[in-house]
Amino acid sequence: MIDLKKALQFRTNFYSLTDSANNIVLTSHMGPDDDSISSVLSLYFLLNEKYPNKRIRIIYSSDQNDRWSYFENFEKIEFVNEI
């Protein structure tokens, strides 16, 4: 069961960090899977809507896999050898 108090505190802390940042980098584990890509793209969408003037990047240490290319904003993902 989700602890609503903890979830609200997490949201407050998270937005406190993102409110004060000029640049935001989103990433996840190496060799991303479907859950990782969809989660990061969802977070990118949320943050981009909230902060249209901030620089938000998605970076993965991985080879590019175009099987997710149908996801909105897939083209925003930067695949690199090393972060």
Side-chain angles (χ1 to χ4, degrees):
M1 177 171 239
I2 294 177
D3 183 332
L4 187 57
K5 185 176 179 182
K6 286 183 181 180
L8 291 173
Q9 186 60 50
F10 175 84
R11 184 180 73 179
T12 299
N13 293 344
F14 179 77
Y15 283 133
S16 175
L17 289 170
T18 56
D19 285 345
S20 64
N22 293 320
N23 298 292
I24 300 170
V25 173
L26 305 175
T27 192
S28 186
H29 57 78
M30 294 173 60
D33 54 14
D34 298 349
D35 291 342
S36 172
I37 294 288
S38 59
S39 296
V40 168
L41 287 172
S42 296
L43 187 55
Y44 174 84
F45 179 83
L46 175 85
L47 293 174
N48 199 47
E49 288 290 310
K50 184 169 177 64
Y51 309 111
N53 297 319
K54 292 189 185 228
R55 183 170 184 218
I56 303 170
R57 296 173 62 192
I58 306 169
I59 304 174
Y60 275 102
S61 285
S62 175
D63 293 330
Q64 182 169 336
N65 186 332
D66 290 332
R67 79 176 199 209
W68 303 295
S69 62
Y70 61 91
F71 286 154
E72 185 174 341
N73 293 313
F74 174 78
E75 72 282 356
K76 305 285 187 189
I77 301 174
E78 299 172 49
F79 293 93
V80 300
N81 289 331
E82 190 75 33
I83 294 181

Coordinates of all heavy atoms in Angstrom, one line a residue:
M1 N 0.8 -1.2 0.0 CA 0.0 0.0 0.0 C 0.9 1.2 0.0 O 1.9 1.3 0.7 CB -0.9 0.0 1.2 CG -1.8 1.2 1.4 SD -3.0 0.9 2.7 CE -4.5 1.1 1.7
I2 N 0.5 2.2 -0.7 CA 1.3 3.5 -0.8 C 1.0 4.3 0.4 O -0.1 4.6 0.8 CB 0.9 4.3 -2.1 CG1 1.3 3.5 -3.3 CG2 1.5 5.7 -2.1 CD1 0.9 4.1 -4.6
D3 N 2.1 4.8 1.0 CA 2.0 5.7 2.1 C 1.8 7.1 1.5 O 2.8 7.7 1.0 CB 3.3 5.6 3.0 CG 3.2 6.5 4.2 OD1 2.6 7.5 4.2 OD2 3.9 6.1 5.2
L4 N 0.7 7.7 1.6 CA 0.4 9.0 1.0 C 1.2 10.1 1.6 O 1.7 11.0 0.8 CB -1.1 9.3 1.2 CG -1.6 10.6 0.5 CD1 -1.4 10.5 -1.0 CD2 -3.1 10.8 0.7
K5 N 1.5 10.1 2.9 CA 2.3 11.1 3.5 C 3.7 11.1 2.9 O 4.3 12.1 2.6 CB 2.3 10.9 5.0 CG 3.1 12.0 5.7 CD 3.0 11.8 7.2 CE 3.8 12.9 7.9 NZ 3.8 12.7 9.4
K6 N 4.3 9.9 2.7 CA 5.6 9.8 2.1 C 5.6 10.2 0.7 O 6.6 10.8 0.2 CB 6.2 8.3 2.3 CG 6.6 8.0 3.7 CD 7.2 6.6 3.8 CE 7.6 6.2 5.2 NZ 8.1 4.9 5.3
A7 N 4.6 9.8 0.0 CA 4.5 10.2 -1.5 C 4.4 11.7 -1.6 O 5.1 12.3 -2.5 CB 3.3 9.5 -2.1
L8 N 3.7 12.3 -0.8 CA 3.5 13.8 -0.9 C 4.9 14.5 -0.5 O 5.3 15.5 -1.1 CB 2.4 14.3 0.0 CG 1.0 13.9 -0.4 CD1 0.0 14.3 0.6 CD2 0.7 14.6 -1.8
Q9 N 5.6 13.9 0.5 CA 6.9 14.5 0.9 C 7.9 14.3 -0.2 O 8.7 15.2 -0.5 CB 7.4 13.8 2.2 CG 8.6 14.4 2.7 CD 8.5 15.9 3.1 OE1 7.5 16.3 3.8 NE2 9.3 16.7 2.6
F10 N 7.8 13.1 -0.9 CA 8.7 12.9 -2.0 C 8.5 13.9 -3.1 O 9.4 14.5 -3.7 CB 8.6 11.5 -2.5 CG 9.4 11.2 -3.8 CD1 10.7 10.9 -3.7 CD2 8.9 11.4 -5.0 CE1 11.5 10.7 -4.8 CE2 9.6 11.2 -6.2 CZ 10.9 10.9 -6.1
R11 N 7.2 14.1 -3.4 CA 6.9 15.1 -4.5 C 7.4 16.5 -4.1 O 8.0 17.2 -4.9 CB 5.4 15.1 -4.7 CG 5.0 16.1 -5.8 CD 3.5 16.1 -6.1 NE 2.9 16.8 -5.0 CZ 1.6 17.0 -4.9 NH1 0.7 16.5 -5.8 NH2 1.1 17.7 -3.9
T12 N 7.2 16.9 -2.9 CA 7.6 18.2 -2.4 C 9.2 18.3 -2.5 O 9.7 19.3 -3.1 CB 7.2 18.4 -0.9 OG1 5.8 18.4 -0.9 CG2 7.7 19.8 -0.4
N13 N 9.9 17.3 -2.1 CA 11.3 17.3 -2.2 C 11.8 17.3 -3.6 O 12.8 18.0 -4.0 CB 11.9 16.1 -1.4 CG 11.7 16.2 0.1 OD1 11.4 17.2 0.6 ND2 11.9 15.0 0.7
F14 N 11.2 16.5 -4.5 CA 11.5 16.4 -5.9 C 11.4 17.7 -6.6 O 12.3 18.2 -7.3 CB 10.7 15.3 -6.5 CG 11.0 15.1 -8.0 CD1 12.2 14.4 -8.4 CD2 10.2 15.6 -9.0 CE1 12.5 14.3 -9.7 CE2 10.5 15.5 -10.3 CZ 11.6 14.8 -10.7
Y15 N 10.2 18.3 -6.4 CA 10.0 19.6 -7.1 C 10.8 20.7 -6.5 O 11.2 21.7 -7.2 CB 8.5 20.0 -7.1 CG 7.7 19.2 -8.1 CD1 6.5 18.6 -7.8 CD2 8.2 19.1 -9.4 CE1 5.8 17.9 -8.7 CE2 7.5 18.4 -10.3 CZ 6.3 17.8 -10.0 OH 5.6 17.1 -11.0
S16 N 11.2 20.6 -5.2 CA 12.2 21.6 -4.7 C 13.5 21.5 -5.4 O 14.1 22.6 -5.7 CB 12.4 21.3 -3.2 OG 13.3 22.1 -2.6
L17 N 14.0 20.3 -5.7 CA 15.2 20.2 -6.5 C 15.1 20.6 -7.9 O 15.9 21.4 -8.4 CB 15.6 18.7 -6.5 CG 16.1 18.1 -5.1 CD1 16.3 16.6 -5.2 CD2 17.5 18.8 -4.8
T18 N 14.0 20.2 -8.6 CA 13.8 20.6 -10.0 C 13.5 22.1 -10.1 O 13.9 22.7 -11.1 CB 12.8 19.7 -10.7 OG1 11.5 19.8 -10.0 CG2 13.3 18.3 -10.7
D19 N 12.8 22.7 -9.2 CA 12.5 24.1 -9.2 C 13.8 24.9 -9.2 O 13.9 25.9 -9.9 CB 11.6 24.5 -8.0 CG 10.2 24.1 -8.1 OD1 9.7 23.7 -9.2 OD2 9.5 24.2 -7.1
S20 N 14.8 24.5 -8.5 CA 16.0 25.3 -8.3 C 17.1 25.0 -9.4 O 18.1 25.6 -9.4 CB 16.6 25.1 -6.9 OG 17.0 23.7 -6.7
A21 N 16.8 23.9 -10.2 CA 17.8 23.5 -11.2 C 17.6 24.3 -12.5 O 16.5 24.5 -12.9 CB 17.7 22.0 -11.4
N22 N 18.7 24.6 -13.1 CA 18.6 25.2 -14.5 C 18.7 24.1 -15.6 O 18.2 24.2 -16.6 CB 19.8 26.2 -14.7 CG 19.6 27.4 -13.8 OD1 18.5 27.9 -13.7 ND2 20.7 27.9 -13.3
N23 N 19.4 23.1 -15.3 CA 19.6 21.9 -16.2 C 19.2 20.7 -15.4 O 19.6 20.5 -14.2 CB 21.1 21.8 -16.6 CG 21.5 23.0 -17.4 OD1 21.1 23.2 -18.5 ND2 22.4 23.8 -16.8
I24 N 18.5 19.8 -16.1 CA 18.1 18.5 -15.5 C 18.5 17.4 -16.5 O 18.3 17.4 -17.7 CB 16.6 18.5 -15.3 CG1 16.1 19.6 -14.4 CG2 16.1 17.1 -14.8 CD1 14.6 19.9 -14.3
V25 N 19.1 16.3 -15.9 CA 19.5 15.2 -16.7 C 18.7 14.0 -16.1 O 18.7 13.7 -14.9 CB 21.0 14.9 -16.6 CG1 21.4 13.6 -17.3 CG2 21.8 16.0 -17.2
L26 N 18.1 13.3 -17.0 CA 17.3 12.0 -16.6 C 18.1 10.8 -17.2 O 18.6 10.9 -18.3 CB 15.9 12.1 -17.2 CG 15.1 13.3 -16.9 CD1 13.8 13.2 -17.7 CD2 14.8 13.4 -15.4
T27 N 18.2 9.8 -16.4 CA 18.9 8.6 -16.8 C 18.3 7.4 -16.0 O 17.5 7.6 -15.1 CB 20.4 8.7 -16.7 OG1 21.0 7.6 -17.4 CG2 20.9 8.7 -15.3
S28 N 18.8 6.3 -16.3 CA 18.4 5.1 -15.6 C 19.5 4.0 -15.8 O 20.6 4.4 -16.1 CB 17.1 4.5 -16.2 OG 16.6 3.4 -15.4
H29 N 19.2 2.8 -15.5 CA 20.3 1.8 -15.6 C 20.8 1.5 -17.0 O 20.1 1.9 -18.0 CB 19.8 0.5 -15.0 CG 18.5 -0.1 -15.6 ND1 18.6 -0.7 -16.8 CD2 17.3 0.0 -15.2 CE1 17.4 -1.1 -17.1 NE2 16.5 -0.7 -16.2
M30 N 22.0 1.0 -17.0 CA 22.6 0.7 -18.3 C 21.8 -0.5 -19.0 O 21.2 -1.3 -18.3 CB 24.1 0.2 -18.1 CG 25.0 1.3 -17.6 SD 26.6 0.8 -17.2 CE 27.2 0.1 -18.8
G31 N 21.8 -0.5 -20.3 CA 21.1 -1.5 -21.0 C 19.6 -1.4 -20.7 O 19.0 -2.3 -20.2
P32 N 19.0 -0.2 -21.0 CA 17.6 0.0 -20.6 C 16.6 -1.0 -21.2 O 16.8 -1.5 -22.3 CB 17.3 1.4 -21.2 CG 18.3 1.6 -22.3 CD 19.5 0.8 -21.9
D33 N 15.6 -1.2 -20.5 CA 14.5 -2.1 -20.9 C 13.2 -1.3 -21.2 O 13.3 0.0 -21.0 CB 14.2 -3.2 -19.9 CG 14.0 -2.7 -18.5 OD1 13.7 -1.5 -18.3 OD2 14.0 -3.6 -17.6
D34 N 12.1 -1.9 -21.5 CA 10.9 -1.2 -21.8 C 10.5 -0.3 -20.6 O 10.0 0.9 -20.8 CB 9.8 -2.1 -22.2 CG 10.1 -2.9 -23.4 OD1 11.1 -2.6 -24.1 OD2 9.4 -3.9 -23.7
D35 N 10.5 -0.8 -19.4 CA 10.1 -0.1 -18.2 C 10.9 1.2 -18.0 O 10.4 2.2 -17.7 CB 10.1 -0.9 -17.0 CG 9.1 -2.0 -17.0 OD1 8.1 -1.9 -17.8 OD2 9.2 -3.0 -16.2
S36 N 12.2 1.0 -18.2 CA 13.2 2.1 -18.0 C 12.9 3.3 -19.0 O 12.8 4.4 -18.6 CB 14.6 1.6 -18.1 OG 15.5 2.7 -18.1
I37 N 12.8 2.9 -20.3 CA 12.6 3.9 -21.3 C 11.3 4.6 -21.1 O 11.2 5.8 -21.2 CB 12.7 3.2 -22.7 CG1 14.1 2.7 -23.0 CG2 12.2 4.2 -23.8 CD1 15.1 3.8 -23.3
S38 N 10.2 3.8 -20.9 CA 8.9 4.5 -20.7 C 8.8 5.3 -19.5 O 8.2 6.4 -19.5 CB 7.8 3.4 -20.7 OG 7.9 2.5 -19.7
S39 N 9.5 4.9 -18.4 CA 9.5 5.7 -17.2 C 10.2 7.0 -17.4 O 9.7 8.1 -16.9 CB 10.1 5.0 -16.0 OG 9.4 3.8 -15.7
V40 N 11.4 7.0 -18.0 CA 12.2 8.2 -18.2 C 11.5 9.1 -19.2 O 11.4 10.3 -19.0 CB 13.6 7.8 -18.6 CG1 14.3 9.0 -19.1 CG2 14.4 7.2 -17.5
L41 N 10.9 8.6 -20.2 CA 10.1 9.4 -21.2 C 8.9 10.1 -20.5 O 8.6 11.2 -20.8 CB 9.8 8.7 -22.4 CG 10.9 8.4 -23.4 CD1 10.5 7.4 -24.5 CD2 11.5 9.6 -23.9
S42 N 8.3 9.3 -19.6 CA 7.1 9.9 -18.9 C 7.6 11.0 -18.0 O 6.9 12.1 -17.9 CB 6.4 8.8 -18.0 OG 5.9 7.8 -18.9
L43 N 8.7 10.8 -17.3 CA 9.2 11.9 -16.4 C 9.7 13.1 -17.3 O 9.4 14.3 -16.9 CB 10.3 11.4 -15.6 CG 10.9 12.3 -14.5 CD1 9.8 12.8 -13.6 CD2 12.0 11.6 -13.7
Y44 N 10.3 12.8 -18.4 CA 10.7 13.9 -19.3 C 9.4 14.8 -19.7 O 9.5 16.0 -19.7 CB 11.3 13.4 -20.6 CG 11.6 14.4 -21.6 CD1 12.8 15.2 -21.5 CD2 10.8 14.7 -22.6 CE1 13.1 16.2 -22.4 CE2 11.0 15.7 -23.6 CZ 12.2 16.4 -23.4 OH 12.4 17.4 -24.4
F45 N 8.3 14.1 -20.1 CA 7.1 14.8 -20.5 C 6.6 15.6 -19.3 O 6.3 16.8 -19.5 CB 6.0 13.8 -20.9 CG 4.8 14.4 -21.3 CD1 4.6 14.9 -22.6 CD2 3.7 14.5 -20.4 CE1 3.4 15.5 -22.9 CE2 2.5 15.1 -20.7 CZ 2.4 15.6 -22.0
L46 N 6.5 15.1 -18.1 CA 6.0 15.8 -17.0 C 6.9 17.1 -16.7 O 6.4 18.2 -16.5 CB 6.0 14.9 -15.8 CG 5.7 15.6 -14.4 CD1 4.2 15.6 -14.3 CD2 6.3 14.8 -13.3
L47 N 8.2 16.9 -16.7 CA 9.1 18.0 -16.4 C 9.1 19.0 -17.5 O 9.2 20.2 -17.2 CB 10.5 17.5 -16.1 CG 10.7 16.7 -14.8 CD1 12.1 16.1 -14.8 CD2 10.3 17.5 -13.6
N48 N 9.0 18.6 -18.7 CA 9.0 19.5 -19.9 C 7.8 20.4 -19.9 O 7.8 21.5 -20.2 CB 9.2 18.7 -21.2 CG 9.6 19.6 -22.3 OD1 10.6 20.4 -22.1 ND2 9.0 19.5 -23.4
E49 N 6.7 19.8 -19.4 CA 5.4 20.6 -19.3 C 5.5 21.6 -18.2 O 5.0 22.7 -18.3 CB 4.2 19.6 -19.1 CG 3.8 18.8 -20.3 CD 3.2 19.6 -21.4 OE1 2.3 20.3 -21.1 OE2 3.6 19.5 -22.5
K50 N 6.1 21.1 -17.1 CA 6.2 22.0 -15.9 C 7.2 23.1 -16.1 O 7.1 24.2 -15.6 CB 6.5 21.2 -14.7 CG 6.5 22.0 -13.4 CD 6.6 21.1 -12.2 CE 6.7 21.8 -10.9 NZ 5.6 22.7 -10.5
Y51 N 8.3 22.8 -16.8 CA 9.4 23.7 -17.0 C 9.8 23.9 -18.4 O 10.9 23.4 -18.9 CB 10.7 23.2 -16.2 CG 10.5 22.9 -14.8 CD1 10.5 21.5 -14.3 CD2 10.2 23.8 -13.8 CE1 10.4 21.2 -13.0 CE2 10.0 23.5 -12.5 CZ 10.1 22.2 -12.1 OH 10.0 21.9 -10.8
P52 N 9.0 24.5 -19.2 CA 9.3 24.6 -20.7 C 10.6 25.4 -21.0 O 11.2 25.2 -22.1 CB 8.1 25.3 -21.2 CG 7.5 26.0 -20.1 CD 7.8 25.2 -18.9
N53 N 11.1 26.2 -20.1 CA 12.3 26.9 -20.3 C 13.6 26.3 -19.7 O 14.7 26.9 -19.9 CB 12.1 28.4 -19.8 CG 11.0 29.1 -20.5 OD1 10.9 29.0 -21.7 ND2 10.2 29.8 -19.8
K54 N 13.5 25.2 -19.1 CA 14.7 24.5 -18.6 C 15.2 23.6 -19.6 O 14.5 23.0 -20.4 CB 14.3 23.8 -17.3 CG 14.0 24.7 -16.1 CD 13.9 24.0 -14.8 CE 13.4 25.0 -13.8 NZ 14.2 24.9 -12.6
R55 N 16.5 23.3 -19.5 CA 17.2 22.3 -20.4 C 17.1 21.0 -19.7 O 17.6 20.8 -18.6 CB 18.6 22.7 -20.6 CG 19.3 21.8 -21.5 CD 20.7 22.3 -21.9 NE 21.3 21.4 -22.9 CZ 22.5 21.0 -22.9 NH1 23.4 21.5 -22.0 NH2 23.0 20.2 -23.8
I56 N 16.4 20.1 -20.3 CA 16.2 18.7 -19.8 C 16.7 17.8 -20.8 O 16.3 17.8 -22.0 CB 14.7 18.5 -19.5 CG1 14.1 19.5 -18.6 CG2 14.5 17.1 -19.0 CD1 12.6 19.5 -18.4
R57 N 17.6 16.9 -20.4 CA 18.2 15.9 -21.3 C 18.0 14.5 -20.7 O 17.9 14.3 -19.5 CB 19.7 16.2 -21.3 CG 20.1 17.5 -22.0 CD 21.6 17.8 -21.9 NE 22.4 16.8 -22.6 CZ 23.7 16.6 -22.5 NH1 24.4 17.4 -21.7 NH2 24.3 15.7 -23.2
I58 N 17.9 13.6 -21.7 CA 17.8 12.2 -21.3 C 19.0 11.5 -21.9 O 19.3 11.6 -23.1 CB 16.5 11.5 -22.0 CG1 15.3 12.3 -21.6 CG2 16.5 10.0 -21.6 CD1 14.1 11.8 -22.4
I59 N 19.8 10.9 -21.0 CA 21.1 10.2 -21.4 C 21.1 8.8 -20.9 O 20.9 8.6 -19.7 CB 22.3 11.1 -20.9 CG1 22.2 12.5 -21.4 CG2 23.6 10.4 -21.4 CD1 23.3 13.4 -20.8
Y60 N 21.5 7.9 -21.7 CA 21.6 6.5 -21.4 C 23.0 6.0 -21.8 O 23.5 6.3 -22.9 CB 20.6 5.6 -22.1 CG 19.3 5.5 -21.4 CD1 18.2 6.2 -21.8 CD2 19.1 4.6 -20.3 CE1 17.0 6.0 -21.2 CE2 17.9 4.5 -19.7 CZ 16.8 5.2 -20.1 OH 15.6 5.1 -19.5
S61 N 23.7 5.2 -20.9 CA 24.9 4.5 -21.3 C 24.5 3.2 -22.0 O 24.2 2.2 -21.3 CB 25.7 4.2 -20.1 OG 26.4 5.3 -19.6
S62 N 24.3 3.3 -23.3 CA 23.8 2.1 -24.0 C 23.9 2.4 -25.5 O 24.0 3.5 -25.9 CB 22.3 1.9 -23.6 OG 21.8 0.9 -24.3
D63 N 23.8 1.3 -26.3 CA 23.7 1.4 -27.7 C 22.2 1.8 -28.0 O 21.3 1.4 -27.2 CB 24.0 0.1 -28.4 CG 25.5 -0.2 -28.3 OD1 26.3 0.7 -28.2 OD2 25.8 -1.4 -28.3
Q64 N 22.0 2.5 -29.0 CA 20.6 2.9 -29.3 C 19.8 1.7 -29.9 O 20.4 0.9 -30.6 CB 20.6 4.0 -30.4 CG 19.2 4.5 -30.7 CD 19.2 5.7 -31.6 OE1 20.1 6.5 -31.5 NE2 18.1 5.9 -32.3
N65 N 18.6 1.6 -29.4 CA 17.7 0.5 -29.9 C 16.5 1.2 -30.4 O 15.7 1.8 -29.6 CB 17.4 -0.5 -28.7 CG 16.6 -1.7 -29.2 OD1 15.9 -1.6 -30.1 ND2 16.8 -2.8 -28.5
D66 N 16.2 1.1 -31.6 CA 15.1 1.8 -32.2 C 13.8 1.2 -32.0 O 12.7 1.6 -32.5 CB 15.3 2.0 -33.7 CG 16.5 3.0 -34.0 OD1 16.7 3.9 -33.1 OD2 17.1 2.9 -35.0
R67 N 13.7 0.1 -31.2 CA 12.4 -0.6 -31.0 C 11.5 0.3 -30.2 O 10.3 0.1 -30.2 CB 12.6 -1.9 -30.4 CG 12.9 -1.9 -28.9 CD 12.9 -3.3 -28.4 NE 12.7 -3.3 -26.9 CZ 13.2 -4.2 -26.1 NH1 13.9 -5.2 -26.7 NH2 13.0 -4.2 -24.9
W68 N 12.0 1.3 -29.6 CA 11.2 2.3 -28.8 C 10.9 3.6 -29.6 O 10.3 4.5 -29.1 CB 11.8 2.6 -27.5 CG 12.1 1.5 -26.6 CD1 11.2 0.6 -26.1 CD2 13.3 1.0 -26.2 NE1 11.8 -0.4 -25.4 CE2 13.1 -0.2 -25.4 CE3 14.7 1.4 -26.4 CZ2 14.2 -0.9 -24.9 CZ3 15.7 0.7 -25.9 CH2 15.4 -0.4 -25.1
S69 N 11.2 3.6 -30.9 CA 11.2 4.8 -31.6 C 9.7 5.4 -31.8 O 9.5 6.5 -32.1 CB 11.8 4.7 -33.0 OG 11.1 3.7 -33.8
Y70 N 8.8 4.5 -31.6 CA 7.4 5.0 -31.7 C 6.9 5.8 -30.4 O 5.9 6.4 -30.4 CB 6.4 3.8 -32.0 CG 6.4 2.8 -30.9 CD1 5.5 2.8 -29.8 CD2 7.3 1.7 -30.9 CE1 5.5 1.9 -28.8 CE2 7.3 0.7 -29.9 CZ 6.4 0.8 -28.9 OH 6.4 -0.1 -27.9
F71 N 7.7 5.7 -29.4 CA 7.4 6.5 -28.2 C 7.6 8.0 -28.4 O 8.6 8.4 -29.1 CB 8.3 6.1 -27.0 CG 7.9 4.8 -26.3 CD1 8.9 4.1 -25.7 CD2 6.7 4.2 -26.4 CE1 8.7 2.9 -25.1 CE2 6.4 3.0 -25.8 CZ 7.4 2.3 -25.1
E72 N 6.7 8.8 -27.9 CA 6.8 10.2 -28.1 C 8.1 10.7 -27.4 O 8.4 10.2 -26.3 CB 5.6 10.9 -27.4 CG 5.6 12.4 -27.6 CD 4.4 13.1 -27.1 OE1 3.4 12.4 -26.9 OE2 4.4 14.3 -26.9
N73 N 8.9 11.5 -28.0 CA 10.1 12.1 -27.5 C 11.3 11.1 -27.5 O 12.3 11.4 -26.9 CB 9.9 12.7 -26.1 CG 9.1 13.9 -26.2 OD1 9.2 14.8 -27.0 ND2 8.1 14.0 -25.3
F74 N 11.1 10.0 -28.2 CA 12.2 9.0 -28.2 C 13.5 9.7 -28.8 O 14.6 9.5 -28.4 CB 11.9 7.8 -29.1 CG 13.0 6.9 -29.3 CD1 13.4 6.0 -28.3 CD2 13.7 6.9 -30.5 CE1 14.5 5.2 -28.5 CE2 14.8 6.0 -30.7 CZ 15.2 5.2 -29.7
E75 N 13.3 10.6 -29.8 CA 14.4 11.3 -30.5 C 15.2 12.2 -29.5 O 16.3 12.6 -29.8 CB 13.9 12.1 -31.7 CG 13.1 13.3 -31.3 CD 11.7 13.1 -30.9 OE1 11.2 12.0 -30.9 OE2 11.0 14.1 -30.5
K76 N 14.6 12.5 -28.3 CA 15.3 13.3 -27.3 C 16.4 12.5 -26.6 O 17.2 13.1 -25.9 CB 14.3 13.9 -26.4 CG 13.2 14.7 -27.0 CD 13.7 16.0 -27.4 CE 12.5 16.8 -27.9 NZ 12.8 18.0 -28.6
I77 N 16.3 11.2 -26.6 CA 17.3 10.3 -25.9 C 18.6 10.4 -26.5 O 18.8 10.2 -27.7 CB 16.8 8.9 -25.8 CG1 15.4 8.8 -25.1 CG2 17.8 8.0 -25.0 CD1 14.8 7.4 -25.1
E78 N 19.6 10.6 -25.7 CA 21.0 10.6 -26.1 C 21.6 9.3 -25.6 O 21.7 9.0 -24.4 CB 21.8 11.8 -25.5 CG 21.3 13.1 -25.9 CD 22.0 14.2 -25.2 OE1 23.2 14.2 -25.1 OE2 21.2 15.1 -24.6
F79 N 22.1 8.4 -26.6 CA 22.7 7.2 -26.2 C 24.2 7.4 -26.3 O 24.7 7.9 -27.4 CB 22.3 6.1 -27.2 CG 20.8 5.7 -27.0 CD1 19.8 6.3 -27.8 CD2 20.5 4.8 -26.0 CE1 18.5 5.9 -27.6 CE2 19.1 4.4 -25.9 CZ 18.1 5.0 -26.6
V80 N 24.9 7.2 -25.2 CA 26.4 7.4 -25.2 C 27.1 6.2 -24.6 O 26.5 5.3 -24.0 CB 26.7 8.6 -24.3 CG1 26.0 9.9 -24.8 CG2 26.3 8.4 -22.8
N81 N 28.4 6.1 -24.8 CA 29.2 5.0 -24.3 C 29.3 5.1 -22.8 O 29.3 4.1 -22.1 CB 30.6 5.0 -25.0 CG 30.5 4.5 -26.4 OD1 29.6 3.8 -26.8 ND2 31.4 5.0 -27.2
E82 N 29.5 6.3 -22.3 CA 29.8 6.5 -20.9 C 29.2 7.9 -20.5 O 29.4 8.9 -21.2 CB 31.3 6.5 -20.7 CG 31.7 6.5 -19.2 CD 31.6 5.2 -18.6 OE1 31.7 4.1 -19.2 OE2 31.3 5.1 -17.4
I83 N 28.5 7.9 -19.4 CA 27.9 9.1 -18.9 C 29.0 9.9 -18.1 O 29.7 9.4 -17.3 CB 26.7 8.9 -18.0 CG1 25.6 8.3 -18.8 CG2 26.3 10.2 -17.3 CD1 24.3 8.0 -18.1

